[in-house]
């Protein structure tokens, strides 16, 4: 039997949806902007890619390796699809089974946030037309480097490497942090740290393959976090702000 969502501890209650969104967004986005400036405008992307390229003997040795191309890339993508399917099945059950009804809104939030994050990342990939490192002359490819805000010559053809889609398939699940805020607040930290850790592994693997620069994965994280925060503020914060202050939820080893 699923557990009903618990009211948030008073310390986690947002003053309003707008205040919550501002508090949760401004610092992460500021850090993302500063880091991307150093990486994209300051040459940090190329410096790190140079080190990884040299480490592999002036080639992308991990590009087609079994562990990177099949285990982490294809396997990780399939894992994300499986998780989304399980959440969708749970959401369907919550509409049919009265005991699951309290989970309907949190499950709907989680599935929608993951879908929006991955969808926005995929859409931006098709709009930004940035090449992968393995396509660039600097790393043995055929194309010159064209920056994000530079005019791309039509003759270079289509490119779709920014933001990072694979790391985004993991980072999209940081919405589980806000899901747990509604269902089991004491589990919110693992629900945040696990997708972050998997996203780092996915991102680093793709960088070792020559598929992405670090900034590509940084913006997948920033997009996923922004979507999760804004959707949570829209779906939950207004009702929380007008509710009575709930009794703090405490568990063994953790105070609310």
């Amino acid at each position: 039997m699923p557990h009903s969502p618990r009211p948030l501890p008073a310390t986690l209650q947002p003053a309003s949806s707008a205040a919550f969104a501002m508090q949760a967004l401004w610092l992460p986005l500021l850090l993302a902007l500063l880091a991307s400036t150093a990486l994209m405008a300051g040459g940090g992307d190329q410096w790190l890619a140079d080190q990884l390229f040299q480490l592999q003997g002036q080639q992308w040795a991990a590009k087609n390796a079994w562990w990177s191309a099949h285990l982490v890339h294809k396997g990780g993508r399939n894992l994300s699809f499986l998780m989304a399917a399980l959440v969708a099945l749970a959401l369907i059950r919550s509409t049919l089974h009265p005991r699951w009804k309290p989970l309907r809104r949190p499950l709907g939030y989680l599935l929608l946030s993951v879908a929006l994050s991955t969808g926005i990342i995929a859409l931006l990939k098709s709009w930004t037309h940035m090449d992968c490192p393995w396509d660039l002359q600097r790393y043995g490819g055929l194309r010159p480097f064209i920056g994000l805000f530079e005019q791309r010559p039509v003759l270079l053809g289509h490119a779709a490497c920014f933001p990072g889609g694979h790391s985004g398939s993991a980072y999209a699940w940081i919405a589980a942090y806000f899901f747990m805020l509604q269902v089991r607040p004491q589990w919110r930290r693992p629900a945040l740290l696990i997708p972050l850790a998997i996203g780092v592994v996915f991102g680093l693997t793709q960088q070792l393959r020559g598929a992405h620069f670090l900034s590509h994965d940084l913006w997948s994280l920033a997009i996923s976090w922004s979507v999760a925060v804004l959707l949570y503020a829209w779906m939950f914060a207004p009702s929380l702000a007008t509710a009575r202050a709930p009794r703090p939820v405490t568990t063994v080893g953790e105070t609310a």
Side-chain angles (χ1 to χ4, degrees):
M1 174 180 175
H3 299 285
S4 299
R6 300 179 180 179
L8 287 182
T11 54
L12 296 178
Q13 288 263 21
S16 68
S17 59
F20 167 78
M22 286 297 296
Q23 292 169 7
L25 279 179
W26 75 267
L27 182 57
L29 288 183
L30 176 61
L31 292 175
L33 285 171
L34 292 174
S36 64
T37 299
L39 292 171
M40 301 180 78
D45 272 339
Q46 288 77 15
W47 180 87
L48 178 59
D50 287 350
Q51 310 312 307
L52 297 178
F53 191 64
Q54 293 171 14
L55 184 65
Q56 299 175 75
Q58 299 293 320
Q59 61 178 328
W60 299 115
K63 181 177 182 179
N64 297 310
W66 177 85
W67 67 269
S68 60
H70 296 278
L71 179 63
V72 178
H73 189 233
K74 292 184 180 179
R77 181 179 56 195
N78 292 338
L79 176 62
S80 184
F81 287 151
L82 175 62
M83 291 173 59
L86 292 175
V87 174
L89 289 174
L91 179 59
I92 293 172
R93 181 163 185 177
S94 72
T95 66
L96 302 175
H97 201 297
R99 292 183 177 180
W100 284 62
K101 186 176 180 180
L103 296 176
R104 186 183 305 170
R105 193 172 182 86
L107 285 168
Y109 160 79
L110 180 59
L111 188 62
L112 183 57
S113 184
V114 170
L116 283 174
S117 295
T118 53
I120 290 172
I121 290 170
L123 186 62
L124 288 175
K125 282 167 66 74
S126 67
W127 284 355
T128 54
H129 294 292
M130 290 196 71
D131 294 297
C132 305
W134 62 36
D135 292 321
L136 300 177
Q137 295 169 350
R138 183 174 183 135
Y139 306 109
L142 301 176
R143 297 176 176 177
F145 176 78
I146 306 295
L148 179 61
F149 300 109
E150 295 181 85
Q151 184 67 34
R152 182 180 180 84
V154 177
L155 293 177
L156 287 181
H158 180 69
C161 282
F162 177 86
H166 190 52
S167 61
S169 69
Y171 288 140
W173 289 96
I174 60 178
Y177 172 84
F178 298 103
F179 171 80
M180 288 301 175
L181 274 180
Q182 290 295 307
V183 178
R184 280 291 180 269
Q186 66 271 27
W187 293 354
R188 67 189 185 277
R189 292 187 181 93
L192 175 64
L193 294 176
I194 291 173
L196 284 176
I198 295 175
V200 169
V201 171
F202 284 6
L204 180 58
T205 300
Q206 288 294 82
Q207 291 166 46
L208 284 167
R209 296 182 68 222
H212 289 292
F213 288 116
L214 177 57
S215 64
H216 299 185
D217 299 314
L218 171 67
W219 277 103
S220 292
L221 173 58
I223 291 166
S224 298
W225 177 258
S226 299
V227 169
V229 168
L230 292 173
L231 187 62
Y232 182 79
W234 178 59
M235 292 184 66
F236 294 104
S239 60
L240 292 174
T242 57
R244 293 181 180 180
R247 176 174 56 86
V249 176
T250 58
T251 60
V252 177
E254 178 183 1
T255 57

